[in-house]
Amino acid sequence: MKKLGIALLIASALAFLSAFTIPFLVHSGTKMTGWIAGLLVCSEVMFWTGGLILGKEVARKYRRYLNPKNWGSKPKEMKKDNE
């Protein structure tokens, strides 16, 4: 189940990033708008579904990694494991 959550998070990132390529592939304005909106909605749904599957512990762990205050030092969990 954990692998499914991680796969959904990776797929959501790929869907989000692929939305930036749509203007280079589709030339019609209405089609472009539809594709971009669809990709962004699918990306959000996959992200939150993956987050729910992975649970609170994983979300807390990655929130610590993404906090700018912690970028210059090792996270507390890693310090405990290495010492």
Side-chain angles (χ1 to χ4, degrees):
M1 203 63 166
K2 188 174 180 179
K3 288 182 182 181
L4 175 65
I6 292 171
L8 282 172
L9 289 178
I10 292 170
S12 75
L14 292 175
F16 181 78
L17 292 175
S18 66
F20 292 107
T21 64
I22 296 299
F24 301 108
L25 301 174
V26 180
H27 297 291
S28 172
T30 56
K31 287 183 181 180
M32 189 177 357
T33 305
W35 274 100
I36 291 172
L39 282 171
L40 293 178
V41 168
C42 287
S43 174
E44 284 293 317
V45 169
M46 287 188 287
F47 176 79
W48 287 108
T49 305
L52 288 173
I53 290 172
L54 290 175
K56 188 165 68 170
E57 299 87 22
V58 175
R60 187 178 302 146
K61 178 180 176 183
Y62 286 108
R63 192 179 311 150
R64 254 186 241 138
Y65 287 141
L66 296 175
N67 188 353
K69 290 191 290 185
N70 299 332
W71 287 353
S73 64
K74 290 185 179 180
K76 293 177 186 177
E77 295 171 359
M78 293 179 72
K79 286 182 183 177
K80 290 179 186 175
D81 292 341
N82 291 337
E83 292 178 353

